Structure formats: structure tokens, C-alpha cells
């Protein structure tokens, strides 16, 4: 057994993956097909998945410290109850994946699709999103405090009770998002698309900074013009 095992362009069995997980050494998996694979409760510390098919794969309760998921297709995959620490998810599609009740600490999501992903009940610390699509995602009570939200799309997402205090939006979207009970004190919303936000919802942005154009759009609902 070398210090680093590489599997390429194959369909490894659960037994094979279980043996590798028990060995406790880093594993690199490239271009492998793991659709529907059951990796529940595995310790995959420092594993790296590149361009893998993970559709419907189950990582339920797995330990994923230091894991990298790069360019993978993981629609409907389940990370429910998993522990993800110092992880990164770059590129790829994790539409309708579940991170429900997962522990997410120092996790970075960059350039990936998370349409409809479920983060309900996730325990989070220092979770970063950049150029990520979170349309229709379920993220109630998620903390984005002091986050730099560059190119993040929250269109129609369930953001009820989220903490956006001191967050900065740049090229981001809150269009038609559900923002009941959110906190925006100190947030910079000038780089956010607020389309679909009604004037009756504007009070939720108390303490936030918006642009004159955004203010004009809101006041336009009353037939007023900002010059």
C-alpha cells in the first residue's frame, strides 16, 4: 500500500472502497462511476474525487475531513449527517443533493450548481460560496454573517431566518427568494438583484445598504420616482 492510492476510469465496488477507507491513507479517484454508491459512515479523510459520477451516491454520516470534490456530477447525492471539515467543492453539479443535518466547517463551494440542495438543520462554521447556483435551495436559518457572496444565485431559495449581517453581495441574486425573518443589518446589498422583492418586504432590509436604483425600484411600486 503506497501513501496515496489512485483509481482511474473504473467502477470500484463498495468492498474495494471499504478496504481503502479502512487503510486510512489518502485516495484519489479520477473519472470513476459511483452512481448510487453507498459510502455511508465511511471515513474518507483527505480523499479527492475528480470528474466522478456520484449521482445518487450516499455519504450519509461519512467523515469527509479534507475531502475535495472537483468537477463531479453528484445530483441527488446525500451528505445528510456527514462531517465535512476543510473541504472544497469546485465545479460540478450537486442539484437536489442533501446536506441536511450535516456538519460543515471551513467548507468552500466554488463554481458549482446546488439547485434545490437541502441544507436544512446543517451545523455551519465558515462556509463559503462563490459563483454558486443555489436556486430553490433549502437553507433556513443558515448563517452568512460577514460572508463575501460573489456571483451567488439565491433565486427562489428558502432563506427564512438566515443571518446576512455584514455580508457583501457582488453580482449576486435574491430574486424571489423567501426572506422572512432574515437579518441584514450592516449588509451591502448594492451588488444584489432584488427583483421580486415587494415594498412590504423592504423592512426586512433594515440597517442594510442599497443603491439609489434599488430604492427607486422599491418606491416605484408606490408610483414614486427617485431622481
Amino acid at each position: 500500500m503506497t501513501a496515496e492510492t489512485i483509481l482511474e476510469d473504473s467502477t470500484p465496488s463498495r468492498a474495494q472502497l471499504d478496504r481503502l477507507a479502512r487503510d486510512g491513507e489518502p485516495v484519489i479517484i479520477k473519472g470513476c462511476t459511483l452512481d448510487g454508491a453507498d459510502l455511508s459512515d465511511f471515513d474518507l479523510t483527505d480523499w479527492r474525487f475528480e470528474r466522478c459520477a456520484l449521482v445518487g451516491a450516499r455519504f450519509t454520516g461519512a467523515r469527509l475531513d479534507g475531502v475535495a470534490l472537483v468537477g463531479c456530477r453528484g445530483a441527488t447525492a446525500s451528505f445528510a449527517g456527514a462531517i465535512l471539515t476543510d473541504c472544497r467543492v469546485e465545479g460540478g453539479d450537486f442539484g437536489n443533493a442533501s446536506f441536511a443535518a450535516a456538519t460543515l466547517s471551513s467548507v468552500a463551494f466554488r463554481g458549482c450548481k446546488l439547485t434545490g440542495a437541502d441544507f436544512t438543520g446543517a451545523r455551519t462554521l465558515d462556509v463559503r460560496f462563490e459563483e454558486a447556483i443555489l436556486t430553490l435551495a433549502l437553507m433556513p436559518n443558515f448563517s452568512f454573517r460577514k460572508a463575501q457572496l460573489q456571483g451567488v444565485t439565491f433565486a427562489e431559495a428558502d432563506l427564512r431566518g438566515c443571518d446576512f449581517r455584514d455580508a457583501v453581495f457582488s453580482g449576486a441574486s435574491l430574486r424571489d427568494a423567501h426572506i422572512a425573518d432574515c437579518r441584514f443589518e450592516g449588509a451591502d446589498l448594492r451588488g444584489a438583484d432584488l427583483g421580486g422583492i415587494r415594498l412590504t418586504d423592504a423592512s426586512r432590509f433594515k440597517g442594510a445598504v442599497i443603491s439609489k436604483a434599488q430604492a427607486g425600484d422599491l418606491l416605484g411600486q408606490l408610483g414614486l420616482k427617485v431622481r
Side-chain angles (χ1 to χ4, degrees):
M1 178 73 181
T2 62
E4 187 175 86
T5 298
I6 300 177
L7 299 179
E8 277 190 272
D9 302 319
S10 61
T11 305
S13 66
R14 175 181 168 84
Q16 182 180 4
L17 295 171
D18 185 36
R19 285 195 301 271
L20 290 172
R22 291 177 184 277
D23 285 338
E25 300 292 346
V27 177
I28 298 176
I29 301 183
K30 297 182 178 181
C32 289
T33 300
L34 294 167
D35 291 336
D38 185 1
L39 304 177
S40 299
D41 300 315
F42 279 21
D43 185 345
L44 305 177
T45 298
D46 293 329
W47 282 37
R48 179 182 176 89
F49 297 82
E50 297 181 13
R51 299 175 285 100
C52 290
L54 301 171
V55 176
R58 297 187 295 283
F59 295 87
T60 308
R63 189 163 198 98
L64 303 172
D65 298 329
V67 163
L69 298 163
V70 182
C72 295
R73 302 185 306 280
T76 70
S78 176
F79 298 86
I83 299 174
L84 295 87
T85 303
D86 294 319
C87 298
R88 58 193 178 95
V89 182
E90 295 186 0
D93 186 348
F94 289 86
N96 295 309
S98 175
F99 295 87
T103 297
L104 305 172
S105 178
S106 297
V107 180
F109 293 91
R110 296 191 180 95
C112 49
K113 295 180 180 179
L114 293 158
T115 303
D118 185 359
F119 290 87
T120 303
R123 295 174 291 278
T124 64
L125 177 66
D126 188 29
V127 181
R128 301 178 299 283
F129 295 93
E130 182 179 339
E131 303 295 339
I133 298 175
L134 287 158
T135 300
L136 295 169
L138 304 176
M139 310 186 80
N141 303 309
F142 203 98
S143 177
F144 296 96
R145 188 168 188 183
K146 297 184 178 180
Q148 299 289 322
L149 298 170
Q150 179 178 338
V152 181
T153 299
F154 292 110
E156 299 181 78
D158 181 356
L159 303 176
R160 291 172 296 173
C162 286
D163 186 353
F164 288 101
R165 286 177 292 172
D166 300 311
V168 178
F169 291 74
S170 177
S173 175
L174 286 168
R175 179 173 288 272
D176 295 317
H178 303 285
I179 58 171
D181 301 319
C182 286
R183 298 189 65 178
F184 287 95
E185 296 99 306
D188 187 343
L189 296 167
R190 291 174 293 182
D193 178 358
L194 302 181
I197 302 297
R198 299 181 300 277
L199 189 62
T200 53
D201 296 323
S203 61
R204 305 189 192 284
F205 296 136
K206 183 178 180 180
V209 178
I210 64 174
S211 69
K212 288 183 178 180
Q214 290 168 323
D217 289 341
L218 290 172
L219 291 173
Q221 297 175 31
L222 298 178
L224 301 175
K225 294 182 179 179
V226 177
R227 296 187 183 278

